[in-house]
């Protein structure tokens, strides 16, 4: 009933698809925020970034790690995935209500920034802001890429309507699907085809959070990092590429830029290793081509554990 209601509403008023996509991404922000209430997780990620940039990517990865095995083994999966979709949507509505003052404050800031009212103008910062707005608007455009329509959206719709992955000889491309299509299906439950593209954009935001921290708010470095023409293709597609690439980059940053690990106790280091391995697994589940980069990052984690004496071959 709800599936038909939301999809009929969006077919009559397409703007609701965009609105529902934004609500869902805010829902994952709220879901990720729940985990950052644990001091250990907050401590680990605060060393490389402002944690607000990492909440969506954390929430999405935890969600996929939980839901993906259930869908594979078809354990009440249709009821579960639809129920979880509604819960995430409800969290998004809660996020709008609880952060209304914060959102209003930021809208006022960017309005003043655009019209140069009581805000110090910075050319690099202005270009960065315009790029992000452009990527955001691009991610809200309808899906037009042939392979996204050919099997990513097809598998996503099958997941949300049947609760299983579509593996059939009459549609061979469906064998290429992974956990990323779950997110597409979650959006399609509300008729929000743009949600998959917004998830890809959220990965880029997590990377910006890291670059701001290590670059000490050098907006020229940020501008170089996000001005690649490839991002135009990736941000406009619901295909699970940019998100998992940025997810692996976050894990790599934990071991390249978190230089004060000596302050970590054994429990904190254990959770750092555990979270990192789980996120690498999530990337491989999302798209098998991430196996190579995940093995490389996993090797760095293994070397780090050897250096700190946490594991030994003797």
């Amino acid at each position: 009933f709800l599936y038909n209601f939301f999809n009929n509403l969006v077919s009559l008023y397409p703007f609701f698809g965009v609105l529902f996509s934004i609500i869902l991404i805010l829902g994952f922000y709220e879901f990720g925020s729940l985990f950052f209430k644990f001091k250990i997780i907050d401590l680990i990620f605060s060393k490389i970034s402002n944690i607000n940039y990492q909440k969506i990517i954390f929430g999405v990865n935890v969600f996929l790690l939980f839901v993906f095995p259930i869908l594979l083994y078809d354990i009440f999966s249709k009821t579960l995935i639809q129920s979880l979709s509604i819960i995430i949507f409800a969290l998004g509505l809660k996020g709008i209500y609880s952060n209304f003052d914060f959102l209003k404050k930021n809208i006022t800031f960017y309005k003043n920034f655009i019209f140069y009212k009581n805000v110090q103008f910075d050319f690099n910062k202005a270009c960065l802001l315009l790029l992000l707005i452009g990527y955001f608007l691009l991610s809200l455009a309808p899906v037009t890429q042939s392979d996204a329509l050919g099997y990513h959206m097809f598998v996503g719709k099958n997941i949300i309507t049947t609760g299983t992955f579509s593996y059939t000889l009459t549609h061979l491309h469906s064998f290429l699907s992974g956990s990323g299509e779950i997110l597409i299906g979650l959006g399609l439950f509300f008729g929000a085809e743009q949600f998959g593209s917004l998830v890809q954009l959220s990965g880029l935001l997590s990377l910006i959070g890291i670059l701001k921290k290590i670059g000490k708010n050098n907006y020229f470095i940020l501008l170089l990092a996000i001005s690649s023409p490839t991002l135009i293709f990736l941000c406009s597609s619901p295909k699970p590429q940019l998100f998992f690439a940025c997810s692996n980059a976050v894990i790599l940053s934990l071991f390249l830029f978190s230089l004060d690990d000596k302050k970590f106790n054994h429990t904190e280091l254990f959770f750092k290793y555990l979270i990192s391995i789980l996120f690498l697994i999530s990337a491989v589940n999302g798209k098998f081509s991430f196996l190579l980069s995940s093995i490389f990052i996993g090797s760095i984690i293994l070397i780090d554990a050897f250096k700190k004496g946490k594991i030994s071959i003797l």
Side-chain angles (χ1 to χ4, degrees):
F1 169 75
L2 287 176
Y3 173 79
N4 292 328
F5 170 77
F6 283 116
N7 278 268
N8 289 335
L9 181 64
V10 172
S11 64
L12 291 174
Y13 307 100
F15 169 75
F16 279 103
V18 174
L19 179 62
F20 294 158
S21 297
I22 295 173
I23 291 173
L24 285 171
I25 205 70
L26 289 175
F28 274 108
Y29 178 88
E30 289 295 310
F31 182 59
S33 299
L34 298 176
F35 295 95
F36 280 91
K37 291 182 180 180
F38 293 98
K39 184 179 179 181
I40 290 178
I41 297 176
D42 187 289
L43 179 65
I44 292 170
F45 283 89
S46 62
K47 292 183 181 298
I48 60 167
S49 170
N50 182 320
I51 60 171
N52 289 321
Y53 288 93
Q54 309 304 326
K55 290 179 178 179
I56 296 177
I57 205 168
F58 196 97
V60 169
N61 273 308
V62 172
F63 179 85
L64 292 179
L65 285 166
F66 172 71
V67 174
F68 186 56
I70 295 174
L71 286 175
L72 286 178
Y73 292 102
D74 194 15
I75 308 171
F76 303 106
S77 50
K78 179 181 177 180
T79 303
L80 179 68
I81 188 66
Q82 292 186 355
S83 299
L84 290 176
S85 300
I86 296 171
I87 291 172
I88 295 296
F89 191 84
L91 284 174
L93 293 175
K94 173 184 174 294
I96 294 175
Y97 176 77
S98 60
N99 295 294
F100 179 77
D101 290 336
F102 174 78
L103 293 172
K104 184 178 179 181
K105 180 180 178 182
N106 275 273
I107 291 172
T108 302
F109 169 79
Y110 289 119
K111 180 181 177 181
N112 290 338
F113 184 87
I114 293 171
F115 294 102
Y116 315 120
K117 295 178 181 179
N118 304 318
V119 177
Q120 184 177 0
F121 181 76
D122 184 313
F123 179 75
N124 291 327
K125 190 174 182 179
C127 290
L128 177 69
L129 179 60
L130 287 174
L131 265 177
L132 288 176
I133 292 174
Y135 287 143
F136 175 70
L137 294 176
L138 186 62
S139 68
L140 296 180
V143 178
T144 57
Q145 296 178 9
S146 58
D147 56 339
L149 293 170
Y151 81 92
H152 292 287
M153 302 289 284
F154 172 82
V155 175
K157 184 175 181 180
N158 193 78
I159 287 172
I160 203 64
T161 53
T162 68
T164 59
F165 283 90
S166 174
Y167 296 126
T168 171
L169 292 175
T170 60
H171 195 276
L172 293 177
H173 280 168
S174 62
F175 286 89
L176 301 174
S177 61
S179 64
E181 276 68 35
I182 298 173
L183 300 171
I184 297 175
L186 191 150
L188 291 177
F189 180 75
F190 299 96
E193 64 178 271
Q194 298 89 346
F195 174 64
S197 302
L198 273 183
V199 171
Q200 307 311 309
L201 182 64
S202 71
L204 184 62
L205 292 178
S206 69
L207 195 60
I208 289 174
I210 294 172
L211 292 173
K212 282 189 68 176
K213 182 91 170 185
I214 65 176
K216 298 179 180 179
N217 289 326
N218 187 325
Y219 289 99
F220 180 70
I221 294 176
L222 284 168
L223 193 58
L224 287 177
I226 71 164
S227 58
S228 170
T230 307
L231 294 177
I232 297 175
F233 166 77
L234 294 174
C235 286
S236 63
S237 169
K239 296 186 295 183
Q241 292 176 313
L242 180 60
F243 176 83
F244 290 114
C246 293
S247 178
N248 276 5
V250 169
I251 298 306
L252 182 61
S253 300
L254 285 175
F255 293 90
L256 293 183
F257 305 118
S258 185
L259 302 178
D260 51 352
D261 279 358
K262 293 181 180 179
K263 296 180 181 179
F264 281 175
N265 58 38
H266 295 292
T267 303
E268 290 163 350
L269 278 175
F270 169 77
F271 274 97
K272 178 180 176 180
Y273 293 138
L274 178 63
I275 291 170
S276 299
I277 295 298
L278 289 176
F279 275 35
L280 295 180
I281 293 173
S282 178
V284 176
N285 287 340
K287 202 166 184 63
F288 190 71
S289 57
F290 284 104
L291 180 64
L292 181 61
S293 61
S294 295
I295 289 175
F296 172 73
I297 299 171
S299 300
I300 293 176
I301 296 173
L302 189 63
I303 293 170
D304 185 82
F306 271 117
K307 287 173 64 177
K308 289 181 170 60
K310 301 306 175 186
I311 58 176
S312 174
I313 59 175
L314 299 178

